[in-house]
Amino acid sequence: MMFSRPRLSPDDHRSFATLPVTRYTVGPADEQVAVHISGRLAGGRIPLVCVPGYQRNMLDFADFANHFHRVYGDDWPIVLVDLKGRGRSSDRTDKSRYISTVDALELVQVLAALAVDGGIFVGQGYGGQVVMALAAERPNLLSGAVLIDAGPVSDPRGLVRLRNNLRDLEGNRSEAGFRTMARRMLAPDYPAATEGLLDVLAARTHFLDKRNRVRALFDPHLTGLLESFEHDDILVPQWQLYDALASAPLLLMRTQLTEQVRRETFEEMLRRRRDAEGYVIEGSGSPALLNTPEDVGPIAEFVRKLVKRRAKAA
C-alpha cells in the first residue's frame, strides 16, 4: 500500500497571523478541524458560523468578521471553520468522504464541542451547499442562513476553470512567476483590485515553500475530484437540499462576475423563496471579498432583522 506525504499547512504563514485556531478531533482520531472564534460565545447572542468554499479556508471571512464587529461590537460571536482538507484542518484519509453531507455532519460535531446549539450560517460556494446539507440533517440548528454564490447546482464552467487554474499553479515556480500567474488568474474576478490585493488573495490558498515550490493550502485530491467536469455538462439541481432551508430565514447573495452559480439559478432560488432577501455584489467574482461596509451591510441588516424578530417572539 502506498501512502501520500501528509500536507503541511505552515502555522507561520503570514496570512494566518490574525486568525489563531483551536483544533478539534472530529471523526477518526488523527483528523482535526481548525476553528477560530472571535467575540464571546456566551451572552445569548446568536453566533455566526462561516463556511468557506470548495478548496478555500477561513481567510475568506477575515475581513467580513472585522467589518461585522464594527457594526455589532467585538463581543458578537463569529465562528470561522476550515473544513477538512482545507487550511489548517487535517486532510481526510478516506478521500471518498469529501462530500457536503459528511462535512455537514462534522460541522454538527464541531458545534457540539463548542456547546453551540444553533447559529446563523454563512456559506460561500461549496460552503453554502454544506449549509443546505446541514439544514437537511439538523434543521433545528439553523437560526438563519446566508448563501453567497451557492445554490442547488454549480455552474460546470466555473468548476472547469477552477480545475485548470489549480493545475496551472502546481509545481516549481519562482516567487515572481507565481505572483504573475496568480494575478492573471484572479484579475478577471476582481477587475478593480490592486496588484497588492490580488497577492493577498493568492496567499489565501497557496504559498511558496523553502524550495520555492508552490504549495496548496488544501488537499491536492480536491483538484482531482474536479477532473471529470466539462464545460457543456448538464448538472441536475438538488432542489430538495435547497428546500431543506424552508423553515430558516434566508439571505441570498451573488457576486456579479461569479462562475459558480448561473444567474437563472439564482433567480429561481429567489422565486422559490419569496420571503428571502436577494443582493448582488457588483464588480466582483467568487469568492465574495466582503471587505467593504456596502457588501457586509446586507448581512448585518439580515442579522438585525432576525434578532428583532426573535425578540418579539420571545
Side-chain angles (χ1 to χ4, degrees), residues 140-179:
N140 59 305
L141 285 178
L142 278 77
S143 299
V146 180
L147 303 185
I148 308 172
D149 290 338
V153 63
S154 298
D155 187 339
R157 297 172 300 179
L159 298 176
V160 170
R161 181 186 170 213
L162 174 60
R163 178 195 67 211
N164 293 342
N165 283 347
L166 295 179
R167 289 291 189 212
D168 287 346
L169 285 172
E170 292 176 354
N172 295 301
R173 193 170 306 280
S174 67
E175 182 176 357
F178 167 61
R179 185 183 301 118

Side-chain angles (χ1 to χ4, degrees), residues 37-38 40-42 44-50 68 75-79 111 114-122 141 143-144 303 310:
I37 300 172
S38 59
R40 294 190 309 114
L41 285 175
R45 292 180 170 178
I46 309 171
L48 272 69
V49 183
C50 301
F68 189 88
D75 282 349
W76 196 285
I78 299 180
V79 179
L111 296 177
L114 297 174
V116 170
D117 58 5
I120 301 169
F121 291 80
V122 185
L141 285 178
S143 299
V303 172
R310 285 169 62 97

Side-chain angles (χ1 to χ4, degrees), residues 12-307:
D12 62 350
H13 185 45
R14 185 168 58 183
S15 298
F16 291 145
T18 61
L19 295 176
V21 297
T22 301
R23 293 178 173 89
Y24 294 90
T25 298
V26 176
D30 59 345
E31 294 183 6
Q32 297 180 315
V33 173
V35 179
H36 171 82
I37 300 172
S38 59
R40 294 190 309 114
L41 285 175
R45 292 180 170 178
I46 309 171
L48 272 69
V49 183
C50 301
V51 190
Y54 181 70
Q55 87 289 7
R56 308 196 64 85
N57 58 67
M58 66 177 68
L59 289 170
D60 285 343
F61 288 102
D63 289 333
F64 165 76
N66 291 333
H67 280 282
F68 189 88
H69 279 148
R70 288 171 193 163
V71 177
Y72 281 98
D74 291 339
D75 282 349
W76 196 285
I78 299 180
V79 179
L80 307 185
V81 178
D82 285 342
L83 299 174
K84 282 188 185 176
R86 291 88 167 174
R88 288 168 284 180
S89 290
S90 305
D91 291 352
R92 295 190 184 280
T93 302
D94 182 353
K95 307 301 184 183
S96 69
R97 292 175 64 81
Y98 279 128
I99 54 177
S100 59
T101 50
V102 173
D103 284 323
L105 290 175
E106 291 183 342
L107 190 54
V108 172
Q109 296 179 58
V110 170
L111 296 177
L114 297 174
V116 170
D117 58 5
I120 301 169
F121 291 80
V122 185
Q124 290 221 51
Y126 173 82
Q129 295 178 339
V130 173
V131 172
M132 285 185 276
L134 178 64
E137 294 289 340
R138 299 287 194 279
N140 59 305
L141 285 178
L142 278 77
S143 299
V146 180
L147 303 185
I148 308 172
D149 290 338
V153 63
S154 298
D155 187 339
R157 297 172 300 179
L159 298 176
V160 170
R161 181 186 170 213
L162 174 60
R163 178 195 67 211
N164 293 342
N165 283 347
L166 295 179
R167 289 291 189 212
D168 287 346
L169 285 172
E170 292 176 354
N172 295 301
R173 193 170 306 280
S174 67
E175 182 176 357
F178 167 61
R179 185 183 301 118
T180 298
M181 176 166 281
R183 288 174 179 174
R184 176 178 59 79
M185 291 175 174
L186 291 166
D189 295 315
Y190 311 102
T194 64
E195 290 186 342
L197 177 55
L198 295 177
D199 293 343
V200 168
L201 298 179
R204 291 182 178 179
T205 56
H206 292 81
F207 69 100
L208 288 168
D209 66 14
K210 294 178 180 179
R211 298 173 60 189
N212 240 23
R213 294 163 64 103
V214 177
R215 297 293 188 186
L217 290 169
F218 55 88
D219 187 344
H221 186 79
L222 293 170
T223 305
L225 293 176
L226 301 174
E227 202 61 45
S228 63
F229 291 102
E230 300 294 343
H231 282 93
D232 56 356
D233 284 347
I234 299 176
L235 306 182
V236 179
Q238 302 297 309
W239 287 112
Q240 71 276 13
L241 282 180
Y242 180 67
D243 293 340
L245 293 167
S247 62
L250 182 62
L251 171 62
L252 300 175
M253 303 179 71
R254 181 179 184 270
T255 57
Q256 182 184 13
L257 305 178
T258 187
E259 291 183 327
Q260 293 198 21
V261 175
R262 294 176 184 261
R263 185 176 62 183
E264 52 266 34
T265 301
F266 182 72
E267 291 173 349
E268 176 62 15
M269 292 167 67
L270 285 169
R271 189 192 69 79
R272 287 175 177 242
R273 280 291 302 269
R274 299 290 188 183
D275 61 314
E277 300 178 46
Y279 182 81
V280 175
I281 300 175
E282 301 289 342
S284 174
S286 300
L289 299 182
L290 301 176
N291 63 347
T292 67
E294 292 76 19
D295 293 338
V296 175
I299 302 177
E301 178 64 12
F302 176 73
V303 172
R304 186 193 68 79
K305 291 179 179 178
L306 194 153
V307 170

